[in-house]
Every structure is written in C-alpha cells, then in structure tokens.
Amino acid sequence: MAAVRAARRQRLRGFAFVLPALLWTAAFFLLPFAFMVAMSLWRRVGGRILESWTLENYADFFGRPHFLEGLANSLEITLTVTVISVLFAYPLAWIIAEKVPERWQRAALMLAVLPFWTSYVVRSYAWLLVLAHDGVVNRALLAVGLVEAPLVLASTRTATVIGFVHFFVMLLTLTIYANLRQLSPNYARAAADLGAGPVRIFLHVILPLTLPGVMVGAFLTFVLAIGDYVTPQILGGNNELVLPQIIMLQIGRRADLPSASAMAIVLMAVVTLVYFACARWLRLERA
Amino acid sequence: MPGNTRVSLGRRAFLGGMAAAGAAAAGLRAGRARAAESLNALVWCDHTDPALIRPFEEAFDVRVNLKEYEGTGTAFSIIEQSAPGDGDVFVIDGIDVPRAVDAGILAPLPEEELPTADLFPELVMAESHVRDGRTWAISEKFGYNTISYNREKVDPADVMDMAVIWSEKYAGRIAIYDYYLPIIGLVAIGLGKKTSELTEADLPAIREKLFQMKKVAKLVGDVVASQTALATGEVDILVGGGEWVTAGLAAEKPELDWVLPKQGGLRWSQSIGIFADSTRKDLALEFVKYILSPEGQARLATSSCYWAMPANRRAGEVLTPQQKAALRWDDQPAYLARAQLYPAPDAELDARMQDIWTEMLQQ
C-alpha cells in the first residue's frame, strides 16, 4: 500500500514539474491556435465577422492563382536560402571548430554572430543601401571594371535571398559548430587508421554524424524564413509577394482576420509537413 | 591604508551614486505624478514628432500616448481589438470619415469651437465630415499623390503627362507607392476617368494599365522604401509621390521635385476626430483645437515624418518663406482646382480593387 502511495506521489510530483510548461503551452500556443483555427472558419462580410462555419477562406486561397503563387514564391525562396545557408555555414563552422586554435574559437564565434546584435529591420534597410543602384556593391564592381553599368540588385528576389542568407548563416554556424564540437576526434582517427582519405572520412564519417545538427539548423532556417515578412518586404521591393506579405495585406488593408488566419493555417501545415519529412534527423539525442 | 581608503571612497561613491539615482527616480516619479492626466491618440506618423506634441503636453500638463498606424483597415483592426474608452483622438484618412461615422467610432465635434472658416474651402469636405447636421471630424493636413521625380534625370515635360507612369521611356527607373487607392486613382485619371465615378466596369482597363506599370517599374514600396529609392537614385520617378516625399528633402536634395500632370492628380487629406467612447472628451477637444491652431498646423505641416500642406490657411502666418516654397503654398489654388479626391469604393468594389492590386504585385 505504502509503495502504491509513494508511486502516486512520485507521479504527482512529476506532473507538478511539467505543469508550468503545460500551462504555458496551453495559454500561449494551444488556445491561440484553436482561436486561429476557429477564426479561419469564419468570414468577414461587409466589415463584420460572421461567426458561422465555412471553408470559403480556404477555397478563396486555393482558388486564386496569385495567392498560390505567393505560397510557391515562399517555398522557392525558403528552399534556396536554406541550401545556400548550409553551404556557407558548414565550412565556416568546420573552420572554427577544427582549424581555429581553441583559445580563439570563442572570439571567432562571436565575430560570426556579431551581426545578430543589430536590429533585424535596420540590417535589412542597410542591405538595401548596400545593394542599391549606387550602393557599395555596385560602386565596387564599377571601380574594378567588372561591370560597365550598375547591376539591378536591390528590390529583387536576389536581394531577399542575400538578406536571409546573411542572417541564417550565423544561426546555422552555431548549430553546426555545436555538433562538430561534440564529435569525438576518435571517429576520424579510426577511419584514417582503416585507410580512409580526408574526403572519404568527411563524406562517410563526419557528415553523417553531424547531419542531425545540420538538419536542426536547416529546419529552423526553413521555419523562420518561410514565416518572415520583414526581409521580403524591405529587400524584395514588392516585385513578387511571399505568403506572409499576402497575410499582412489581409490584415493591414482589409482587416480580414478570417482570411489571414486561413492563410496562416496553410503556412503552418506546410511547416508541419516539412517537420515530418525531416523528423528522423530532428531527434535531440544522438543515435 | 591606501587599500582601505580606496574601498571607503568606492563605497561612498557607490552610496552617493545610489542616492543620486534614487533622487532622480523620485524626480521622475514626481514628474509622472504631475502629468497625471494622459491622452491616447491613434495617429499617422507625422503626429509622433515631439516638436508637435511637446508644446501641447507642456501647456496642458498632460502626457499624450501616441499609437501610430498606416491604412484605415489597420486602424479599424486596432479599434476592434481595443476596449471601449482606450482611445481619445483619432486621425483618419479624410475619405474614410463616413466609414468611421457608420461604425459609430466618432463623437460629434462642437462646430462653434472649430476654425472651419479658416480652412482652405476644398478642405471643409462637408460631404465627408458632416452628417445629420453634425460635424464628426475636421481636416488637418492635405497633399497630393501625384508624381515625384528627379529633375536632373527626367525631362520635366515628360512628367506633365500621366502616361509617363506606364511608358517604356523610363523602364526600370520608376517606383510605385504601395497603396492601391491612390495609384488606382492616378491610373483612372490617366485614363480620363473621374475617381468619384469609378465602378466595376472601369476595372479591366485599370487592371491592364496597372500590369503595364508593373512591367516598367523597378519596385513597389511603402513610404520609407519608395522615398529611399528616389533619394538614393535607385529610381528617378515615384508614382504616387508628392510634397510628402520631396518637401522635407528640399534642402538636401534640391533636384527632387514633384508635379501635378496636365490630367491632374489626387488630393489626399487627413482628418482628426474624437472617439465616441473617449472618457476625456474635453481634453481631446483641446488637442484637436491645438492641432488646428496656426502654430499646431505649422508644426504638423513640417513634421519630421512627412511634410504636407496644413488645412488651416492661417498656418501661412507662422510658416517661413522657405517652408512655404517647399510646400508650393502659392500654387495651391491651381493645384486644388485640378486635383481629384481618392476613389471611395464600397466594400465590394474595394475588395475587387485590392484583388487586382495583389495580382499586379504578383506579376
């Protein structure tokens, strides 16, 4: 009997420990999410929200090519950004973890994440000036004679991608660096003992073992980039719209929260699908 | 001992610092306590200039809390999510005042306390501001959505014709201000239509021209982005610009100019009113009167966010000759005669306009 009571006490204590987290999640995720789902099934008509259930907001979204194009633009830009960021961040993290002397690694990491200290909005506007018609990049290219006329860089998809990559390379460098640091050097030594060359060691030992870190960073990049409004708005020049910009148009111009909610749910569904696609690499523990 | 002395001095300095900080905090609290009353205003960014607000705060010993917004849709969204009585003063697009009256957002204003007779006659806008014999808002500032351009890069004769906004001549050198109503209005004017008579039947032709504009435009940007593009030489023409883009830059960028083409341009105006649920209506009225006073009007006209014409003609007594020149004070009679008002679509037409605007952006 005493053992049963002790076990129950143990369970209650465990529950008490997780209760704050559960309450937090319920208050700040589940309830707002449920409200957003409900809102997406209502309709704004003539300036008023009709609280009767309908799927019309979803039908509108999937029935209008310019809305679907927004989703396609979001996916294309986000995937491009994720791939380019990984390609830049991995070598950078590897150099910091393997080539930079240990006492300088902290300083190197700090330098790598230094741009994080600037406001995201200010950084985006700064990029706009850098990429402008007579900005730093064009002036440098013209000065060294690489181009005869200024390149069109600002207010393009390229500018959006550059702004994103600048931000996410820092984020990915941190996650990949942490992963590389956890990796015992004995793996590489054992592979070398067995006759593997540097390329083979990287491809067959280092890369597979650091893949979870890469995937966690890539997933974070995907989630943050696909939901971002600021960078495409400032750097893209409204020459094409991504889904968050279309969502903002529904809120800012129409005060149409039901439509905006439906689009936000679609965006969440896309993120969920990507999560499931990457789930096998997103476990926190090392296999 | 020297060491002890240092410790002792450090402690004294620390205690002295704490005392000073405490006194400063007490002073701040006292300051706050003195400005016991506060006023909440939902405004456009030009009202956030301390040079405009501080004189009122000091004169009435009040703290003005400003919430800035862009676009009437956003304002309605903010109001819907607020508790009744949260707001006292509301600055709103002149043409949207009837929507606010319909929604029961505004309180009537005491006509006898307003300087209506001093306003430019076109800015009285009784059709928007007066209903059932009562005044619900009053114009405070106005300007034009037309064409801003760089005089050194663009032939002034070209921008006298609205067709320049979709012509190939300046392809890749044009920015479009990202607000569907004025741009659709400008396109309508360019097509020889009256903005007040637009219907669904006019939209296909407008849509075609919008798409043509998008092809030759470099970007479609908000206030900051489009102004930056013109100021940095990224583009040479800003469709939808006006004095609100270039007047404030007159000293630094004299080559930037604005013009009303021969077909005319659009006149925008902002109005000020008091929230129906305000619990501080007397103080709110004092604020409205201050903003409409010649001094308040001059400060509002040259506010740091954007410059534009004051609605009250008597502000001319306070503005400097340079400020009046940048605002084209002397050209106003001719400009007012040639300008049309923003389109004022009903909810259905408004939704269609926004649809074609989104389609245009996605091209």
Side-chain angles (χ1 to χ4, degrees):
Chain A
M1 202 56 194
V4 171
R5 268 203 300 272
R8 184 193 269 174
R9 259 202 313 272
Q10 189 71 20
R11 272 203 306 275
L12 279 173
R13 194 177 301 157
F15 183 70
F17 275 121
V18 295
L19 190 62
L22 283 176
L23 287 175
W24 180 272
T25 308
F28 296 107
F29 177 70
L30 292 177
L31 281 176
F33 179 67
F35 183 70
M36 195 165 79
V37 171
M39 179 70 85
S40 77
L41 298 170
W42 296 342
R43 191 89 176 137
R44 185 173 177 96
V45 179
R48 294 189 184 283
I49 292 175
L50 300 182
E51 294 178 8
S52 53
W53 307 115
T54 172
L55 289 171
E56 277 183 61
N57 294 318
Y58 291 94
D60 269 357
F61 178 78
F62 288 106
R64 297 189 187 193
H66 53 279
F67 286 168
L68 286 175
E69 212 171 310
L71 178 59
N73 289 340
S74 286
L75 286 169
E76 284 170 16
I77 290 173
T78 305
L79 288 172
T80 309
V81 166
T82 307
V83 170
I84 295 175
S85 300
V86 169
L87 291 177
F88 276 114
Y90 201 105
L92 181 60
W94 186 80
I95 289 167
I96 295 173
E98 300 294 329
K99 298 293 172 192
V100 173
E102 196 144 343
R103 66 177 187 280
W104 292 109
Q105 283 188 5
R106 189 169 287 190
L109 266 187
M110 196 182 279
L111 283 175
V113 300
L114 205 59
F116 263 126
W117 296 3
T118 324
S119 149
Y120 189 33
V121 176
V122 171
R123 205 165 45 231
S124 296
Y125 276 114
W127 269 114
L128 195 60
L129 295 176
V130 169
L131 300 172
H133 186 261
D134 61 349
V136 179
V137 172
N138 269 323
R139 266 186 277 166
L141 291 174
L142 287 167
V144 297
L146 276 175
V147 295
E148 287 180 359
L151 299 175
V152 178
L153 296 170
S155 306
T156 60
R157 179 182 284 201
T158 307
T160 303
V161 170
I162 289 172
F164 270 141
V165 166
H166 177 221
F167 181 77
F168 290 117
V169 163
M170 297 182 273
L171 183 79
L172 273 159
T173 302
L174 288 178
T175 59
I176 298 171
Y177 170 82
N179 220 247
L180 283 166
R181 290 287 295 165
Q182 284 173 9
L183 202 63
S184 165
N186 290 336
Y187 289 115
R189 285 180 198 143
D193 275 354
L194 293 170
V199 175
R200 207 159 172 205
I201 291 174
F202 175 76
L203 290 177
H204 294 277
V205 179
I206 309 288
L207 186 61
L209 287 172
T210 50
L211 205 54
V214 174
M215 291 306 286
V216 167
F219 180 69
L220 276 175
T221 302
F222 184 91
V223 173
L224 294 172
I226 203 166
D228 188 90
Y229 162 78
V230 173
T231 304
Q233 183 69 21
I234 295 174
L235 292 173
N238 263 343
N239 281 321
E240 60 180 0
L241 297 177
V242 294
L243 196 48
Q245 286 175 289
I246 296 178
I247 292 173
M248 280 302 291
L249 281 177
Q250 309 311 307
I251 298 169
R253 294 271 163 83
R254 297 180 164 181
D256 190 348
L257 293 179
S259 270
S261 300
M263 291 179 191
I265 298 284
V266 170
L267 198 59
M268 283 186 76
V270 170
V271 171
T272 309
L273 284 175
V274 172
Y275 172 81
F276 283 123
C278 309
R280 56 179 291 211
W281 291 291
L282 293 175
R283 292 191 201 117
L284 291 174
E285 76 277 11
R286 190 181 291 280
Chain B
M1 289 189 310
N4 283 345
T5 308
R6 276 202 301 275
V7 169
S8 165
L9 281 174
R11 189 181 296 144
R12 271 205 298 275
F14 175 76
L15 290 173
M18 287 300 285
L28 279 178
R29 272 202 302 275
R32 281 271 171 106
R34 275 199 300 277
E37 241 187 319
S38 66
L39 190 75
N40 299 328
L42 187 58
V43 297
W44 290 10
C45 70
D46 54 345
H47 287 68
T48 58
D49 188 345
L52 171 70
I53 297 302
R54 209 161 281 153
F56 177 80
E57 288 183 323
E58 285 166 5
F60 287 86
D61 193 15
V62 64
R63 183 185 172 85
V64 180
N65 303 311
L66 299 155
K67 185 165 179 66
E68 186 185 325
Y69 77 92
E70 213 178 303
T72 305
T74 309
F76 282 12
S77 192
I78 293 168
I79 294 164
E80 273 174 26
Q81 290 157 35
S82 308
D86 274 359
D88 300 302
V89 174
F90 186 25
V91 171
I92 180 174
D93 203 319
I95 57 153
D96 287 324
V97 171
R99 279 171 71 188
V101 176
D102 287 342
I105 288 170
L106 294 173
L109 297 173
E111 172 67 29
E112 65 285 358
E113 296 199 48
L114 303 174
T116 310
D118 294 332
L119 302 189
F120 285 94
E122 292 84 351
L123 270 295
V124 174
M125 295 172 66
E127 67 286 358
S128 267
H129 295 148
V130 181
R131 186 180 296 177
D132 303 327
R134 289 194 287 181
T135 300
W136 301 86
I138 181 165
S139 298
E140 55 163 24
K141 192 169 176 178
F142 73 99
Y144 303 92
N145 285 113
T146 172
I147 298 174
S148 287
Y149 67 104
N150 187 326
R151 233 182 358 232
E152 291 173 357
K153 308 265 185 68
V154 176
D155 183 351
D158 287 339
V159 285
M160 281 308 291
D161 186 352
M162 192 71 84
V164 73
I165 66 179
W166 51 72
S167 81
E168 290 283 342
K169 183 169 178 184
Y170 294 101
R173 295 162 60 190
I174 298 176
I176 303 172
Y177 171 45
D178 181 19
Y179 191 13
Y180 68 105
L181 274 180
I183 305 302
I184 286 176
L186 285 177
V187 171
I189 290 172
L191 290 169
K193 298 173 189 291
K194 284 196 167 172
T195 54
S196 57
E197 294 170 3
L198 291 180
T199 65
E200 180 101 28
D202 296 309
L203 293 187
I206 290 173
R207 181 176 182 272
E208 190 193 323
K209 285 297 178 201
L210 282 175
F211 280 36
Q212 227 172 304
M213 278 172 66
K214 181 68 194 307
K215 265 190 200 155
V216 297
K218 181 157 192 192
L219 66 104
V220 185
D222 61 13
V223 174
V224 178
S226 50
Q227 191 176 33
T228 306
L230 189 65
T232 58
E234 190 78 23
V235 298
D236 299 322
I237 293 175
L238 171 57
V239 182
E243 75 298 307
W244 57 277
V245 175
T246 57
L249 296 171
E252 304 154 47
K253 297 262 173 191
E255 69 276 18
L256 299 185
D257 205 346
W258 62 283
V259 69
L260 243 68
K262 63 184 183 206
Q263 294 93 335
L266 273 181
R267 191 183 87 214
W268 59 265
S269 68
Q270 57 195 64
S271 303
I272 188 166
I274 297 174
F275 278 108
D277 293 323
S278 167
T279 52
R280 293 165 284 238
K281 286 199 177 71
D282 289 343
L283 188 59
L285 180 62
E286 290 303 329
F287 185 75
V288 172
K289 283 159 65 180
Y290 162 69
I291 292 291
L292 266 294
S293 69
E295 292 74 19
Q297 284 280 279
R299 289 178 193 129
L300 181 66
T302 55
S303 149
S304 57
C305 189
Y306 60 90
W307 285 31
M309 278 293 294
N312 188 337
R313 285 174 297 184
R314 288 192 51 210
E317 300 161 12
V318 183
L319 290 165
T320 66
Q322 291 81 7
Q323 289 170 333
K324 284 163 88 172
L327 291 167
R328 300 272 175 81
W329 187 273
D330 296 334
D331 293 328
Q332 292 307 314
Y335 282 5
L336 282 166
R338 274 160 59 204
Q340 298 187 39
L341 285 179
Y342 268 40
D346 59 23
E348 207 173 311
L349 185 59
D350 187 67
R352 284 288 302 125
M353 285 179 170
Q354 292 197 44
D355 275 344
I356 63 169
W357 184 257
T358 312
E359 278 182 66
M360 182 274 280
L361 290 176
Q362 206 58 288
Q363 285 305 300

